[in-house]
Amino acid sequence: VIANEQFNFDVSEIEILDNGNKVIGSKRGKITTNDGVIISADKFEYNKIQNILNAKGNVIIEDNIDDYKIFSQEITYDKNKEIIFSKGETKSEILSRFDFESKDLNLFRNKKILNSNKKTFITDNENQTLYKLDRFSFSIDTEILKGERILVNIDYNLPQNDKLYFKNGIFNLKEKSFIAQDVEVKLKKNIFDNLENDPRIKGVSASSKNKIT
């Protein structure tokens, strides 16, 4: 079934209601868009007049062109505005490098901006760095991360690692640089060959180029 030539439904059971203005898919299937997005879910409901798609149940959104995947239990896709909203816990894989764990995620497809006002964990698998933020905005194009109340855990998978706390900050993850305010750095305890140490550095602001530390 092709709805308004923007959504192509590949679903085993479909109801078409309201003179063709509402499409309901009650069993798991896939929807592809006219610009290459694939949405898999257990249930779909599409409002043709509003051009809004709602998908529920093990939802997976894949965009192979911009290299991201989004996993949630419920999403709403406003095709006219090119905005995707998730409801509840949401995981994302971005640029085959970053893993996001968040809630109530917003994806502005035209701007390629991902954001949420809920607590979020971002793992940079290339640099083994974990970011915890109370709210964030991330540009898929520029790899610029903006956030508030931020913890950066460097080499998070090692028993001894450095932790940086910021009130707010802007991180260029492509160029490995940042600017931040209200900084506290908690260095790994063995930095001075004494595990009893708890070394900390505090400052009003901080910046760095070419690397986070």
Side-chain angles (χ1 to χ4, degrees), residues 12 14 20 30 41 45-46 51-53 66 77 82 88 90 98 104 110 116 125 130 146 155 161 182 199:
S12 56
I14 277 190
K30 288 186 178 182
E45 183 172 319
Y46 175 63
N51 206 12
I52 292 176
L53 172 73
D66 290 328
Y77 185 2
E82 285 297 349
T90 306
F98 303 103
D104 301 343
N110 287 338
S116 174
N125 294 300
L130 175 65
K146 301 177 183 178
D155 294 328
N161 50 61
D182 292 348

Side-chain angles (χ1 to χ4, degrees), residues 46-197:
Y46 175 63
N47 186 312
K48 186 176 181 180
I49 295 174
Q50 296 178 341
N51 206 12
I52 292 176
L53 172 73
N54 182 258
K56 294 182 179 179
N58 302 306
V59 183
I60 304 172
I61 301 172
E62 300 177 71
D63 187 328
N64 294 323
I65 296 172
D66 290 328
D67 191 10
Y68 62 76
K69 294 182 181 179
I70 297 173
F71 306 85
S72 186
Q73 287 303 311
E74 181 175 353
I75 67 97
T76 299
Y77 185 2
D78 188 328
K79 193 73 174 75
N80 291 336
K81 296 180 180 178
E82 285 297 349
I83 303 174
I84 296 174
F85 311 88
S86 77
K87 184 177 181 180
E89 294 184 358
T90 306
K91 295 183 178 181
S92 310
E93 298 172 2
I94 310 296
L95 302 173
S96 304
R97 171 182 169 186
F98 303 103
D99 293 333
F100 288 66
E101 293 185 32
S102 188
K103 292 181 179 179
D104 301 343
L105 200 68
N106 306 310
L107 173 63
F108 300 85
R109 291 197 63 231
N110 287 338
K111 297 180 180 179
K112 299 181 184 178
I113 297 288
L114 197 68
N115 70 23
S116 174
N117 292 326
K118 301 294 178 68
K119 288 185 182 295
T120 299
F121 297 81
I122 303 173
T123 304
D124 180 346
N125 294 300
E126 183 177 299
N127 294 298
Q128 297 300 302
T129 301
L130 175 65
Y131 299 83
K132 299 179 183 179
L133 313 94
D134 276 10
R135 58 189 299 177
F136 84 95
S137 174
F138 179 75
S139 168
I140 296 173
D141 262 353
T142 63
E143 297 182 30
I144 290 179
L145 172 67
K146 301 177 183 178
E148 296 180 7
R149 292 178 290 279
I150 307 159
L151 164 65
V152 181
N153 194 341
I154 301 165
D155 294 328
Y156 70 92
N157 56 333
L158 299 179
Q160 298 292 332
N161 50 61
D162 295 333
K163 298 180 176 67
L164 294 79
Y165 303 86
F166 307 100
K167 181 180 179 181
N168 53 62
I170 301 173
F171 302 81
N172 188 323
L173 303 184
K174 187 179 291 187
E175 297 181 0
K176 301 179 183 178
S177 62
F178 74 90
I179 300 173
Q181 291 183 329
D182 292 348
V183 183
E184 179 179 348
V185 180
K186 185 176 180 182
L187 301 172
K188 48 182 170 281
K189 291 186 176 183
N190 64 354
I191 192 168
F192 300 119
D193 298 321
N194 184 352
L195 292 176
E196 300 300 319
N197 282 337

